[in-house]
Amino acid sequence: MSVEVYLEENYPAALEDLKAFCRIPSVSTDPAFIDGINQAAAFVVERLRKAGFASVEMLQTGGHPAVYGEIIADPKLPTFLVYGHYDVQPPDPLEKWQTPPFEPNERDGRLYARGVSDDKGPLLIPILVAEAFMRVEGRLPVNLKVLIEGEEESGSPHFASTLEKYREKLRCDLVLSADGAMWRPDKPSITVASRGLAALDITVTGAAKDLHSGRHGGSAPNPISALSALLASMHGPDGRVSVEGFLDGATPPDPRILTAIDASNFDSAAYYREIGVAGGDPIDTGRELLIRQWLEPTLEFNGIWGGYQGKGTKTVIPNTAGAKITCRLVAGQKPDTVIAAITRHLQQRLPKGFQLEIHRHGPGSEADFVDPDLPALKISEEVLGELLGQKPLRVAMGATIPIGSAFRQHLGCAAIFFSFSTADEDYHAPNEFFRLSNFKLGMRAWTMLLRRLAAA
């Protein structure tokens, strides 16, 4: 029996494993789900042991535990570290799910559940492939380590320190990430760059307490008005960031990514229809849209609050108003520099009668990139090209996966994204799903990848 035949025959059991994994509510951002976090970590430990990983343990991180396992086939062989995460996003808003988020539901060749695409389905694939090699051949063609964290969806606050703490244990030649996503379901792709992240909250305070808008209107400072003006000042008419110093250090993009953008023939009008935008397309060419999404930094307002939010009216001038901001960074930008530039911008424009408080969320992360000449990158492209019948595009990711820069800094190695979720699978949104055809395809691809990496 071959590894491929074993995987095919055991696919029903693999699907049941995925469903069991997805039933665990492992939300990392909400302390109410701590039991789910612990259950998910324990699930991964047991699944690795079942797959034949001889050394499996939980690593203490200072936050949610990470899970580590290894199979050392031969110390002379190259060693690859598989990365993934067992935590998931909150399921809210619950009313928009067609079926309960933690009760996996199979429909039309898709499995619907929170976390199934990001990252439980893609993560389970290399574990299943390792198990198949061990059952059929009794060994792996390479040395394989796995590191599966439980805080990716809350910004990986302890990830860098975990890499530093366990540097010797985690040492490897290359990281293979099961996290990430292909750009489009109809076109294979490999992500070779991702944006960094900086996040902060701002709070504007006026008077010491809420005030009656009839008694004090027109004279008392209104934080909502001040906040609105401050937020509006941070972008120009074209929607680009206008904060002085925000772009300090940014470097030009790899021209090969621009080539991929040109080759994609991306339809901006279809994109806006897909996300339900009415009233005209804000950007009217696919090339410009992808440049904005992949290669330019952003400053987005993710939430805003202040004053009365209930039914009817309440004639009040609130004493505070605030907003949540996240910035996606490109290569060369530093989170500290970006936060400092935003802070200066807001302080310089704060009207009299108000106080400004800025709360930063974590250290942030820098943008990451893969060496375009890395041999393993070429091997990954060959595997996808053979399985999918067309050469994959090298694309950038507008989102942030901080592992790339962390692995480079602490382990001195690169990370390649080899995931089989796709960007349209509504991860982070209601009705997240994973194409079961990609579940099968991913097992074939990881099998080929490990063999070819060994041969190389």
Side-chain angles (χ1 to χ4, degrees), residues 198-274:
L200 66 154
D201 295 348
I202 64 172
T203 303
V204 176
T205 301
K209 58 184 178 181
D210 290 356
L211 301 172
H212 189 291
S213 65
R215 168 69 177 82
H216 299 279
S219 60
N222 191 316
I224 294 178
S225 298
L227 176 67
S228 299
L230 289 173
L231 298 181
S233 73
M234 301 173 78
H235 296 88
D238 63 354
R240 288 184 167 91
V241 181
S242 59
V243 174
E244 184 177 354
F246 184 83
L247 287 171
D248 286 358
T251 59
D254 183 342
R256 275 169 281 202
I257 298 179
L258 290 171
T259 301
I261 288 176
D262 291 334
S264 71
N265 296 315
F266 189 72
D267 187 341
S268 60
Y271 163 79
Y272 286 117
R273 287 196 302 271
E274 182 180 317

Side-chain angles (χ1 to χ4, degrees), residues 130-183:
E131 179 180 52
F133 272 108
M134 296 300 290
R135 296 288 174 87
V136 174
E137 299 182 3
R139 67 191 297 273
L140 293 178
V142 297
N143 298 321
L144 202 64
K145 299 178 179 181
V146 296
L147 178 65
I148 302 167
E149 69 161 319
E151 297 184 323
E152 196 277 341
E153 298 294 5
S154 52
S156 300
H158 300 94
F159 190 68
S161 60
T162 298
L163 293 183
E164 188 62 34
K165 180 178 179 180
Y166 298 102
R167 178 187 297 190
E168 290 304 315
K169 183 186 294 290
L170 300 173
R171 193 170 295 282
C172 61
D173 297 296
L174 181 74
V175 174
L176 302 172
S177 175
D179 191 22
M182 289 197 194
W183 173 42

Side-chain angles (χ1 to χ4, degrees), residues 1 26 90 187 192 256 261 335 340 386 392 406:
M1 179 186 295
S26 50
K187 190 177 290 291
V192 296
R256 275 169 281 202
I261 288 176
E386 289 181 27

Side-chain angles (χ1 to χ4, degrees), residues 61-93:
T61 69
H64 300 325
V67 178
Y68 172 81
E70 66 178 30
I71 299 176
I72 304 301
D74 182 342
K76 298 178 182 178
L77 292 174
T79 299
F80 299 93
L81 175 66
V82 175
Y83 166 84
H85 63 91
Y86 64 78
D87 65 316
V88 302
Q89 282 277 318
D92 309 76

Side-chain angles (χ1 to χ4, degrees), residues 425-440:
E425 290 177 337
D426 290 329
Y427 44 82
H428 293 211
N431 303 304
E432 177 180 355
F433 67 91
F434 188 43
R435 289 179 174 84
L436 294 178
S437 58
N438 281 351
F439 193 37
K440 290 184 176 182

